[in-house]
Amino acid sequence: MANQLYFSIDTETGGLNPRSAKLLQVGLYAINLDTETNTIVNSFKYEWGIKPSSSPDKIAYPEAMEVNKLDLDTLEQNGLTLEEVSQQIIAAFKEVIKECSNVKKSQMFLLGQNLAFDIRFLTNNLTLEAVEYLEQFRQFELMCFSTAYFVNKGENPSSISLGKMTTELGITNEQAHTAYADAKATCEAMVEIRKRLTKI
């Protein structure tokens, strides 16, 4: 059995610019994938809310909050500091790797839909230790991977949002625009596309 480990990560933010907008939520959905059958052997769920006061110099823009529907007061009350989230992200990765000891390091990937966006926010907000830890994993961009499938269907993959992609693939994402739900949907889309590409 050939296995790969995917860490699907997503962020919810207070805007589009990591230098001026707050990082508010990080979601992680990790899977141990049997690549011969494209089936998930086991999966792991994590989500962290971040106290807005952790980045007092940054803003949560109203238009961004309208999309993610996060409540700043609730995050302040129940969330963690950026340092605490940084530590817990590292701990989560190590926990998954320990549980999936059959997977080689070269077969572990950081997965995302528009992953570059999430990486910019993580790099601008997490501790240096956490950033350097994440840098050791090869990046797997869903938008690039999905190109072969959607081009074959006559569609332009660059214009396909995660929402449109999951609808096309028959994946339900009832809590879209929350970090964990989008991370899970991204991972499920990747697995479904793998299955469909093997049939082309």
Side-chain angles (χ1 to χ4, degrees):
M1 181 168 64
N3 285 63
Q4 292 180 334
L5 190 55
Y6 289 90
F7 293 93
S8 182
I9 200 161
D10 186 75
T11 62
E12 293 301 328
T13 69
L16 300 178
N17 188 335
R19 294 182 179 179
S20 62
K22 293 179 183 292
L23 176 64
L24 298 173
Q25 194 178 58
V26 179
L28 178 67
Y29 180 68
I31 63 166
N32 183 347
L33 183 70
D34 178 346
T35 58
E36 293 178 357
T37 61
N38 288 315
T39 57
I40 297 174
V41 178
N42 51 359
S43 61
F44 308 83
K45 169 187 175 180
Y46 304 91
E47 188 173 67
W48 301 276
I50 299 164
K51 293 180 180 293
S53 61
S54 287
S55 52
D57 57 329
K58 295 184 179 180
I59 301 169
Y61 294 91
E63 54 268 34
M65 302 308 295
E66 180 62 27
V67 173
N68 60 46
K69 306 297 184 185
L70 294 173
D71 182 73
L72 295 178
D73 291 335
T74 301
L75 285 172
E76 189 62 41
Q77 182 177 356
N78 301 324
L80 304 173
T81 66
L82 286 167
E83 285 193 3
E84 290 170 333
V85 170
S86 297
Q87 293 168 1
Q88 291 202 18
I89 287 174
I90 294 174
F93 271 73
K94 289 182 176 180
E95 179 180 54
V96 173
I97 291 170
K98 183 178 180 180
E99 289 292 324
C100 303
S101 57
N102 61 318
V103 182
K104 298 178 181 179
K105 185 64 179 293
S106 63
Q107 297 302 306
M108 298 180 185
F109 303 91
L110 195 61
L111 168 68
Q113 166 71 348
N114 195 6
L115 181 59
F117 175 88
D118 298 308
I119 292 296
R120 284 196 295 271
F121 265 90
L122 295 172
T123 300
N124 276 271
N125 287 277
L126 299 184
T127 63
L128 179 60
E129 179 186 13
V131 171
E132 290 179 342
Y133 185 84
L134 293 178
E135 285 176 346
Q136 68 182 297
F137 298 94
R138 295 166 59 189
Q139 294 185 16
F140 192 102
E141 175 62 71
L142 180 63
M143 285 196 297
C144 296
F145 173 71
S146 63
T147 297
Y149 175 74
F150 285 102
V151 166
N152 189 68
K153 289 179 62 64
E155 298 186 50
N156 178 5
S158 65
S159 66
I160 297 178
S161 65
L162 179 61
K164 185 175 180 180
M165 188 181 298
T166 53
T167 298
E168 161 70 25
L169 297 170
I171 295 168
T172 301
N173 185 9
E174 295 179 350
Q175 294 182 300
H177 300 299
T178 60
Y180 167 71
D182 283 356
K184 184 173 185 287
T186 296
C187 201
E188 291 175 340
M190 184 272 295
V191 175
E192 181 61 25
I193 291 172
R194 286 181 65 110
K195 290 177 180 178
R196 296 190 184 197
L197 285 174
T198 60
K199 299 177 181 179
I200 294 176

